[in-house]
C-alpha cells in the first residue's frame, strides 16, 4: 500500500500527498480503476494528487481507494507509448556531455536508449515531466533561464526529461529537438501526453 496524507481543499476536493512519483502513479491508477462516479477531476503532480468530486459528493471513498493503492500499480502506466524522432543538436548538448564526463554520442545513446513515463503535466499546456532519465544524465537546470526556448526542444533537468510544447521561457538543458506536436487546441484531446503514458526518443 501507499502512504497517503490527506489535506482537504474546500468542500469538493482533497489533496493526497505521497512520498514519491511512484506513489503518485499508484494513487492515480487506483482512483482511475475504481471509476468512482463522484470523481470529476484528477490532477497529479510531483508528490501530490488533487482529486475534485461532484457538487454535494463526499470524498471518503476517494481517500479509501487511494490508501488501498498497490504501490506497484502505477508501473504499468496507461499502455500508450509515444515514439518521438529527435535531432540531437541542442545548445547544451556539449555542456551535458562535459558535465557527465561522457562523449556527445554517449549522451545521445543514453537518452534515446531509455523509456520514460509521463509522471505529470504542468508549466505549460502539453508539457510533461518525463521520469526515467538515466542516472549519468541527471544534472541541475541552467543557472539562468532562457527567455525563449523553441517549441519542440528536448531538455533535461534533475531527474526528468521534457519536450517544450510551445515557445516559452525555460531553464532546462537543451539536447535536441523534435517536430512532434505536443499541444494542439483544435485536437481531441489537445495534449499528446497523459500522465502514465510512455515516451521513447528515436535519434534521426
Amino acid at each position: 500500500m501507499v502512504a497517503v496524507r490527506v489535506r482537504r481543499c474546500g468542500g469538493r476536493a482533497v489533496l493526497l500527498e505521497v512520498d514519491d512519483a511512484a506513489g503518485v502513479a499508484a494513487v492515480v491508477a487506483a482512483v482511475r480503476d475504481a471509476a468512482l462516479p463522484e470523481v470529476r477531476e484528477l490532477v497529479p503532480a510531483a508528490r501530490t494528487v488533487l482529486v475534485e468530486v461532484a457538487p454535494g459528493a463526499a470524498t471518503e471513498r476517494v481517500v479509501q481507494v487511494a490508501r488501498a493503492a498497490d504501490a506497484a500499480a502505477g508501473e504499468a502506466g496507461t499502455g500508450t507509448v509515444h515514439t518521438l524522432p529527435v535531432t540531437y543538436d541542442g545548445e547544451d548538448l556539449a555542456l551535458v556531455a562535459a558535465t557527465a564526463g561522457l562523449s556527445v554520442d554517449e549522451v545521445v545513446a543514453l537518452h534515446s536508449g531509455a523509456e520514460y513515463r509521463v509522471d505529470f503535466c504542468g508549466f505549460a499546456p502539453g508539457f510533461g515531466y518525463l521520469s526515467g532519465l538515466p542516472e549519468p544524465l541527471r544534472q541541475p537546470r541552467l543557472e539562468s533561464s532562457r527567455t525563449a526556448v523553441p517549441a519542440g526542444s528536448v531538455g533535461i533537468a534533475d531527474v526528468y526529461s521534457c519536450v517544450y510544447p510551445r515557445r516559452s521561457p525555460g531553464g532546462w538543458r537543451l539536447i535536441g529537438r523534435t517536430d512532434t506536436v505536443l499541444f494542439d487546441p483544435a485536437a481531441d484531446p489537445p495534449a499528446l501526453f497523459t500522465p502514465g503514458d510512455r515516451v521513447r526518443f528515436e535519434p534521426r
Side-chain angles (χ1 to χ4, degrees), residues 25-198:
V27 168
V28 168
V31 175
R32 281 182 175 159
D33 290 348
L36 301 177
E38 63 264 37
V39 173
R40 288 294 177 267
E41 191 166 7
L42 193 61
V43 184
R47 300 290 182 271
T48 62
V49 181
L50 179 70
V51 185
E52 180 186 357
V53 298
T59 58
E60 280 71 18
R61 285 205 301 173
V62 170
V63 173
Q64 290 173 0
V65 167
R67 285 181 166 156
D70 180 353
E75 294 303 314
T78 62
T80 301
V81 180
H82 308 279
T83 300
L84 279 56
V86 176
T87 300
Y88 284 94
D89 61 355
E91 294 180 51
D92 303 313
L93 183 57
L95 172 63
V96 168
T99 302
L102 301 170
S103 69
V104 166
D105 287 345
E106 287 172 326
V107 170
V108 172
L110 277 172
H111 187 264
S112 62
E115 183 177 79
Y116 302 82
R117 184 181 64 199
V118 182
D119 280 354
F120 59 99
C121 297
F123 171 65
F127 188 102
Y129 288 78
L130 314 179
S131 64
L133 185 68
E135 180 72 36
L137 300 183
R138 296 179 182 180
Q139 301 179 13
R141 296 170 187 245
L142 298 172
E143 291 185 6
S144 298
S145 296
R146 293 182 170 91
T147 57
V149 175
S153 294
V154 177
I156 62 171
D158 300 321
V159 299
Y160 296 109
S161 189
C162 77
V163 182
Y164 283 81
R166 63 183 184 185
R167 183 181 177 87
S168 63
W172 295 51
R173 299 188 181 207
L174 306 181
I175 60 173
R177 54 191 166 88
T178 180
D179 294 329
T180 302
V181 176
L182 271 70
F183 184 77
D184 178 359
D188 184 21
L192 179 66
F193 293 158
T194 296
D197 286 0
R198 302 284 178 161

